[in-house]
Amino acid sequence: MTVSFTPPADPQAAIATYRNLNLVGSRHVPVSASLDVLNPATGAVLGQAAASTAAETDAAVQAAKAAGSAWAAIPARERGKAVAAGGRALLAHFEIVAQVLARETGKAIRTECRGEVKTSADILEFYGGLGSELKGETIPFNPRMLTMTTREPLGVVAAILPWNVPLVLMMLKIAPALVAGNTVVVKASEEAPFATYLAAEILMQHLPDGVLNVINGTGADCGAALTSHADVAKITFTGSEAVGETVYKSGAERIVPVSLELGGKSPMIVCDDASLEKSVAGAISGMRFTRQGQSCTASSRIYVHESLYDAFLAALRAELDSLKIGDPLDEETDIGTIINAKQAAVVAGYVAQAEATPGATVIRCGAVPEGTELSPDLFALPTLLLDLPEDHPCVQNEIFGPVAVIQKWSDYEDVIARANDSRYGLAATVWTENLSRALDATSRLNAGYVQVNQNLTIQPNVSYGGFGRSGLGKEASLEAMLAHFTRSKTIVIAMD
Ligand code: NAD
């Protein structure tokens, strides 16, 4: 455990603190090579982060392994109290962490980053209270045999993060893993590693050395070295479908459990009796327009009943036009930037494909900031794509930008079939005042997280995870901790 850590008050100083190093055994451990992290809003180099080699990745796994048995021997409630204390400390420092996050992700400080840090602290506090829930069962197998199950930690957990919501996703992995008695190596996203390091170092003050370790590097070097490491007992990954497949194969080679939270193309069905006001607000929050649509659960396929279609479209356009796109650090800004030029080009490519489709309409909303130091290319406009065939790439693929497909429907059976016509199955929403219809739709939609008349993000105590190519397993909730960060042992004791 390190003592009395106070984060620098200046975000740039905090970023410089983590120049070219890993957090291993609660120490700042320099690595041999670095990679540049850019500020997406300006295009300038924000800082240098570690580009860990396989040997440097191994050092983190060894530190986690060495800390394992002592951490697992601590009573579960005490482990939980340590994690919860880390949550309170993170909350106390939320502003500096949010400032770092806004600089590296391009997400707006007011609409996105502060909330993300607060939710991250909440996740630590939630799991911190669940230590005594690591219970087994007694089984009435035979009156002369005491038969029971116990829950044990798995060992070293590798937690691999994407860039879009790195703090919340980190906490959803490490909080249950730690409370369950595992030790952890976090692989930060090379696009946005610094807030991850800072939040983890704040939490580390409350944990024994080596229980939590954070490394950074490319997926090909650092990520692959971690997932294939012989001492990693569990992999929990959030990221793209393609990398998820590779990670799954790597786990399969060693027969270790793998949880995957991957992409999505989530439908939103607006019925003829839906509230226009609520459903338009739900489309804006559900599409995560203030996060530039960079969300796995984004309601990116919006099916609107023909009777509401024109009014819905007009209201949605008006709302989107009123959102301010600009400097992520400006308190007035609603929408920041896309993460990087490569992703911006992917988004633009999809919009160009829609534009080239006969019969389709493309509507761009809002305005890019002008006459500033900001890099204009990464400020993508909220965009609505109309009248596309269901098999169009923009309807079938995750765009991961502020681009929503709006489709008209008239027949309920048909819209359910269209909503389910996807290789993904992460989330879905239905908007109706008719209870029977709502219940029918929730039972038939092929998605792991279905909501009616609202579009909440991930909640700490509500289990969350996708079907199909959206992934494997659940995050958040007690269920996720028990199912994915413990193993069950059966014990049968003869009493004669
Ligand atoms: P990505 O798959 O490119 O990268 C994710 C992480 O995997 C990064 O840390 C990267 O370095 C690492 N990685 C890359 N190659 C690797 C390899 N061969 N072995 C091990 N690790 C490797 O994803 P991204 O671009 O950072 O994030 C966006 C994606 O994440 C989107 O597809 C989005 O839908 C998904 N996502 C899903 C959820 C969810 O809960 N389902 C949440 C957020 C984001």
Side-chain angles (χ1 to χ4, degrees):
M1 221 177 288
T2 28
V3 224
S4 64
F5 168 78
T6 306
D10 171 48
Q12 203 53 53
I15 288 165
T17 304
Y18 300 113
R19 186 174 190 279
N20 210 8
L21 58 82
N22 286 330
L23 296 173
V24 175
S26 297
R27 287 177 183 75
H28 288 190
V29 176
V31 298
S32 49
S34 66
L35 48 83
D36 286 345
V37 177
L38 304 183
N39 177 340
T42 62
V45 174
L46 189 63
Q48 279 84 29
S52 306
T53 61
E56 288 155 349
T57 302
D58 173 62
V61 177
Q62 295 311 331
K65 187 180 174 191
S69 49
W71 178 243
I74 292 174
R77 258 198 91 202
E78 297 305 314
R79 292 195 301 260
K81 285 179 189 172
V83 168
R88 290 191 292 277
L90 179 59
L91 194 58
H93 295 299
F94 83 89
E95 183 64 29
I96 182 67
V97 182
Q99 292 288 342
V100 171
L101 187 65
R103 282 164 174 78
E104 64 185 0
T105 59
K107 297 195 295 184
I109 182 81
R110 178 177 57 81
T111 56
E112 290 291 328
C113 293
R114 290 194 184 104
E116 178 170 353
V117 185
K118 289 179 182 175
T119 302
S120 303
D122 192 31
I123 294 166
L124 292 173
E125 288 229 50
F126 166 72
Y127 277 109
L130 294 187
S132 56
E133 295 303 315
L134 291 155
K135 293 180 276 201
E137 294 177 317
T138 52
I139 296 155
F141 165 51
N142 183 317
R144 302 309 309 152
M145 294 176 203
L146 173 59
T147 306
M148 59 188 175
T149 59
T150 57
R151 298 244 166 224
E152 298 181 342
L154 295 161
V156 177
V157 171
I160 301 180
L161 307 181
W163 46 262
N164 64 327
V165 210
L167 300 183
V168 163
L169 299 171
M170 170 167 71
M171 298 315 177
L172 286 174
K173 297 176 186 315
I174 70 177
L178 293 173
V179 173
N182 304 281
T183 56
V184 179
V185 177
V186 172
K187 149 77 175 85
S189 165
E190 63 271 43
E191 300 290 340
F194 297 119
T196 301
Y197 274 62
L198 179 55
E201 191 161 25
I202 291 168
L203 169 57
M204 255 172 228
Q205 310 312 306
H206 300 271
L207 303 172
D209 294 349
V211 165
L212 174 61
N213 307 273
V214 183
I215 59 177
N216 187 60
T218 63
D221 293 330
C222 173
L226 188 58
T227 59
S228 61
H229 198 292
D231 290 321
V232 165
K234 154 88 190 182
I235 304 167
T236 170
F237 171 85
T238 300
S240 61
E241 191 184 346
V243 177
E245 230 183 276
T246 307
V247 167
Y248 197 24
K249 284 177 188 153
S250 180
E253 276 168 20
R254 293 183 298 109
I255 323 272
V256 297
V258 178
S259 307
L260 302 172
E261 293 289 353
L262 310 176
K265 192 78 186 177
S266 299
M268 165 171 179
I269 300 177
V270 182
C271 298
D272 50 357
D273 62 340
S275 151
L276 187 63
E277 192 186 344
K278 279 195 215 164
S279 58
V280 168
I284 290 178
S285 66
M287 236 322 278
R288 313 282 186 259
F289 276 112
T290 59
R291 200 190 296 156
Q292 289 279 43
Q294 298 171 139
S295 165
C296 51
T297 38
S299 299
S300 49
R301 287 186 293 144
I302 304 178
Y303 294 94
V304 187
H305 190 267
E306 59 182 358
S307 63
L308 274 186
Y309 183 87
D310 290 341
F312 180 94
L313 192 57
L316 182 60
R317 285 181 73 169
E319 287 292 326
L320 289 175
D321 278 334
S322 73
L323 295 177
K324 185 178 174 209
I325 305 172
D327 183 350
L329 302 178
D330 184 341
E331 297 290 342
E332 302 281 301
T333 294
D334 296 302
I335 302 180
T337 65
I338 298 279
I339 185 72
N340 56 32
K342 188 173 157 209
Q343 183 59 21
V346 169
V347 174
Y350 275 112
V351 175
Q353 262 183 288
E355 258 167 342
T357 304
T361 303
V362 173
I363 300 173
R364 293 184 174 81
C365 307
V368 170
E370 282 175 8
T372 66
E373 300 291 302
L374 304 173
S375 54
D377 296 350
L378 270 59
F379 288 90
L381 296 177
T383 303
L384 306 176
L385 310 181
L386 317 181
D387 304 319
L388 288 170
E390 288 291 326
D391 61 355
H392 194 281
C394 292
V395 185
Q396 290 298 324
N397 297 341
E398 182 184 56
I399 298 177
F400 225 60
V403 182
V405 173
I406 317 280
Q407 306 282 67
K408 204 181 280 184
W409 68 274
S410 55
D411 179 74
Y412 176 69
E413 293 299 323
D414 179 56
V415 78
I416 293 285
R418 288 159 76 190
N420 284 338
D421 179 19
S422 169
R423 66 185 186 278
Y424 297 115
L426 193 50
T429 62
V430 188
W431 301 76
T432 178
E433 298 299 317
N434 179 329
L435 181 61
S436 308
R437 176 160 282 188
L439 290 173
D440 182 73
T442 56
S443 70
R444 291 169 66 189
L445 284 167
N446 184 36
Y449 190 39
V450 185
Q451 300 181 64
V452 177
N453 294 336
Q454 63 174 17
N455 222 328
L456 297 178
T457 57
I458 299 174
Q459 306 296 308
N461 57 339
V462 179
S463 89
Y464 167 88
F467 298 162
R469 306 263 316 166
S470 288
L472 285 176
K474 295 288 181 189
E475 288 199 328
S477 75
L478 175 63
E479 177 193 354
M481 178 169 82
L482 298 179
H484 301 302
F485 295 105
T486 70
R487 61 185 186 185
S488 172
K489 178 178 279 178
T490 303
I491 299 168
V492 186
I493 302 172
M495 293 166 70
D496 292 322

PDB file of all heavy atoms in Angstrom, residues 152-166:
ATOM      1  N   GLU A 152     -14.638 -19.405  -4.666  1.00  0.00           N
ATOM      2  CA  GLU A 152     -13.210 -19.085  -4.550  1.00  0.00           C
ATOM      3  C   GLU A 152     -12.826 -18.073  -5.621  1.00  0.00           C
ATOM      4  O   GLU A 152     -13.424 -18.072  -6.706  1.00  0.00           O
ATOM      5  CB  GLU A 152     -12.372 -20.349  -4.808  1.00  0.00           C
ATOM      6  CG  GLU A 152     -12.599 -21.458  -3.826  1.00  0.00           C
ATOM      7  CD  GLU A 152     -11.712 -22.669  -4.133  1.00  0.00           C
ATOM      8  OE1 GLU A 152     -11.196 -22.773  -5.279  1.00  0.00           O
ATOM      9  OE2 GLU A 152     -11.553 -23.497  -3.226  1.00  0.00           O
ATOM     10  N   PRO A 153     -11.799 -17.255  -5.331  1.00  0.00           N
ATOM     11  CA  PRO A 153     -11.303 -16.387  -6.412  1.00  0.00           C
ATOM     12  C   PRO A 153     -10.637 -17.226  -7.508  1.00  0.00           C
ATOM     13  O   PRO A 153     -10.253 -18.374  -7.277  1.00  0.00           O
ATOM     14  CB  PRO A 153     -10.279 -15.491  -5.709  1.00  0.00           C
ATOM     15  CG  PRO A 153      -9.969 -16.151  -4.413  1.00  0.00           C
ATOM     16  CD  PRO A 153     -11.099 -17.061  -4.065  1.00  0.00           C
ATOM     17  N   LEU A 154     -10.515 -16.621  -8.685  1.00  0.00           N
ATOM     18  CA  LEU A 154      -9.920 -17.341  -9.816  1.00  0.00           C
ATOM     19  C   LEU A 154      -8.407 -17.208  -9.855  1.00  0.00           C
ATOM     20  O   LEU A 154      -7.708 -18.094 -10.331  1.00  0.00           O
ATOM     21  CB  LEU A 154     -10.502 -16.787 -11.123  1.00  0.00           C
ATOM     22  CG  LEU A 154     -12.005 -17.019 -11.313  1.00  0.00           C
ATOM     23  CD1 LEU A 154     -12.562 -16.069 -12.360  1.00  0.00           C
ATOM     24  CD2 LEU A 154     -12.271 -18.454 -11.683  1.00  0.00           C
ATOM     25  N   GLY A 155      -7.891 -16.069  -9.415  1.00  0.00           N
ATOM     26  CA  GLY A 155      -6.447 -15.814  -9.487  1.00  0.00           C
ATOM     27  C   GLY A 155      -6.195 -14.461 -10.111  1.00  0.00           C
ATOM     28  O   GLY A 155      -6.842 -13.472  -9.760  1.00  0.00           O
ATOM     29  N   VAL A 156      -5.279 -14.413 -11.079  1.00  0.00           N
ATOM     30  CA  VAL A 156      -4.961 -13.137 -11.737  1.00  0.00           C
ATOM     31  C   VAL A 156      -5.980 -12.885 -12.852  1.00  0.00           C
ATOM     32  O   VAL A 156      -6.134 -13.709 -13.761  1.00  0.00           O
ATOM     33  CB  VAL A 156      -3.534 -13.138 -12.324  1.00  0.00           C
ATOM     34  CG1 VAL A 156      -3.255 -11.829 -13.061  1.00  0.00           C
ATOM     35  CG2 VAL A 156      -2.500 -13.369 -11.232  1.00  0.00           C
ATOM     36  N   VAL A 157      -6.650 -11.752 -12.776  1.00  0.00           N
ATOM     37  CA  VAL A 157      -7.634 -11.357 -13.796  1.00  0.00           C
ATOM     38  C   VAL A 157      -6.997 -10.322 -14.729  1.00  0.00           C
ATOM     39  O   VAL A 157      -6.425  -9.330 -14.249  1.00  0.00           O
ATOM     40  CB  VAL A 157      -8.894 -10.764 -13.136  1.00  0.00           C
ATOM     41  CG1 VAL A 157      -9.823 -10.147 -14.177  1.00  0.00           C
ATOM     42  CG2 VAL A 157      -9.625 -11.832 -12.324  1.00  0.00           C
ATOM     43  N   ALA A 158      -7.083 -10.544 -16.019  1.00  0.00           N
ATOM     44  CA  ALA A 158      -6.643  -9.546 -17.014  1.00  0.00           C
ATOM     45  C   ALA A 158      -7.870  -8.769 -17.472  1.00  0.00           C
ATOM     46  O   ALA A 158      -8.845  -9.374 -17.945  1.00  0.00           O
ATOM     47  CB  ALA A 158      -5.992 -10.237 -18.200  1.00  0.00           C
ATOM     48  N   ALA A 159      -7.835  -7.448 -17.311  1.00  0.00           N
ATOM     49  CA  ALA A 159      -8.982  -6.599 -17.674  1.00  0.00           C
ATOM     50  C   ALA A 159      -8.545  -5.663 -18.805  1.00  0.00           C
ATOM     51  O   ALA A 159      -7.669  -4.817 -18.606  1.00  0.00           O
ATOM     52  CB  ALA A 159      -9.443  -5.792 -16.465  1.00  0.00           C
ATOM     53  N   ILE A 160      -9.132  -5.840 -19.976  1.00  0.00           N
ATOM     54  CA  ILE A 160      -8.704  -5.074 -21.162  1.00  0.00           C
ATOM     55  C   ILE A 160      -9.778  -4.053 -21.520  1.00  0.00           C
ATOM     56  O   ILE A 160     -10.951  -4.400 -21.670  1.00  0.00           O
ATOM     57  CB  ILE A 160      -8.413  -6.030 -22.339  1.00  0.00           C
ATOM     58  CG1 ILE A 160      -7.310  -7.005 -21.893  1.00  0.00           C
ATOM     59  CG2 ILE A 160      -7.986  -5.255 -23.583  1.00  0.00           C
ATOM     60  CD1 ILE A 160      -6.921  -8.011 -22.930  1.00  0.00           C
ATOM     61  N   LEU A 161      -9.353  -2.804 -21.659  1.00  0.00           N
ATOM     62  CA  LEU A 161     -10.303  -1.689 -21.774  1.00  0.00           C
ATOM     63  C   LEU A 161     -10.295  -1.016 -23.145  1.00  0.00           C
ATOM     64  O   LEU A 161      -9.241  -0.893 -23.774  1.00  0.00           O
ATOM     65  CB  LEU A 161      -9.950  -0.589 -20.751  1.00  0.00           C
ATOM     66  CG  LEU A 161      -9.812  -1.017 -19.290  1.00  0.00           C
ATOM     67  CD1 LEU A 161      -9.494   0.201 -18.429  1.00  0.00           C
ATOM     68  CD2 LEU A 161     -11.074  -1.703 -18.803  1.00  0.00           C
ATOM     69  N   PRO A 162     -11.466  -0.506 -23.553  1.00  0.00           N
ATOM     70  CA  PRO A 162     -11.533   0.365 -24.738  1.00  0.00           C
ATOM     71  C   PRO A 162     -11.410   1.824 -24.286  1.00  0.00           C
ATOM     72  O   PRO A 162     -11.281   2.110 -23.095  1.00  0.00           O
ATOM     73  CB  PRO A 162     -12.940   0.096 -25.263  1.00  0.00           C
ATOM     74  CG  PRO A 162     -13.750  -0.102 -24.026  1.00  0.00           C
ATOM     75  CD  PRO A 162     -12.830  -0.704 -22.984  1.00  0.00           C
ATOM     76  N   TRP A 163     -11.521   2.755 -25.236  1.00  0.00           N
ATOM     77  CA  TRP A 163     -11.298   4.168 -24.923  1.00  0.00           C
ATOM     78  C   TRP A 163     -12.567   4.940 -24.652  1.00  0.00           C
ATOM     79  O   TRP A 163     -12.536   6.051 -24.161  1.00  0.00           O
ATOM     80  CB  TRP A 163     -10.558   4.866 -26.077  1.00  0.00           C
ATOM     81  CG  TRP A 163     -11.142   4.539 -27.432  1.00  0.00           C
ATOM     82  CD1 TRP A 163     -10.658   3.591 -28.293  1.00  0.00           C
ATOM     83  CD2 TRP A 163     -12.313   5.082 -28.052  1.00  0.00           C
ATOM     84  NE1 TRP A 163     -11.468   3.518 -29.408  1.00  0.00           N
ATOM     85  CE2 TRP A 163     -12.489   4.427 -29.288  1.00  0.00           C
ATOM     86  CE3 TRP A 163     -13.224   6.070 -27.674  1.00  0.00           C
ATOM     87  CZ2 TRP A 163     -13.539   4.714 -30.150  1.00  0.00           C
ATOM     88  CZ3 TRP A 163     -14.280   6.359 -28.530  1.00  0.00           C
ATOM     89  CH2 TRP A 163     -14.419   5.682 -29.750  1.00  0.00           C
ATOM     90  N   ASN A 164     -13.750   4.377 -25.008  1.00  0.00           N
ATOM     91  CA  ASN A 164     -14.927   5.263 -25.033  1.00  0.00           C
ATOM     92  C   ASN A 164     -15.472   5.608 -23.660  1.00  0.00           C
ATOM     93  O   ASN A 164     -15.885   6.739 -23.429  1.00  0.00           O
ATOM     94  CB  ASN A 164     -16.024   4.694 -25.955  1.00  0.00           C
ATOM     95  CG  ASN A 164     -16.564   3.376 -25.470  1.00  0.00           C
ATOM     96  OD1 ASN A 164     -15.849   2.563 -24.877  1.00  0.00           O
ATOM     97  ND2 ASN A 164     -17.829   3.141 -25.713  1.00  0.00           N
ATOM     98  N   VAL A 165     -15.482   4.626 -22.740  1.00  0.00           N
ATOM     99  CA  VAL A 165     -15.905   4.905 -21.354  1.00  0.00           C
ATOM    100  C   VAL A 165     -14.919   4.175 -20.435  1.00  0.00           C
ATOM    101  O   VAL A 165     -15.296   3.284 -19.673  1.00  0.00           O
ATOM    102  CB  VAL A 165     -17.340   4.398 -21.060  1.00  0.00           C
ATOM    103  CG1 VAL A 165     -18.021   5.253 -20.008  1.00  0.00           C
ATOM    104  CG2 VAL A 165     -18.199   4.359 -22.297  1.00  0.00           C
ATOM    105  N   PRO A 166     -13.644   4.525 -20.485  1.00  0.00           N
ATOM    106  CA  PRO A 166     -12.636   3.646 -19.879  1.00  0.00           C
ATOM    107  C   PRO A 166     -12.778   3.490 -18.371  1.00  0.00           C
ATOM    108  O   PRO A 166     -12.508   2.405 -17.836  1.00  0.00           O
ATOM    109  CB  PRO A 166     -11.312   4.338 -20.233  1.00  0.00           C
ATOM    110  CG  PRO A 166     -11.661   5.746 -20.578  1.00  0.00           C
ATOM    111  CD  PRO A 166     -13.041   5.701 -21.139  1.00  0.00           C
TER     112      PRO A 166
END
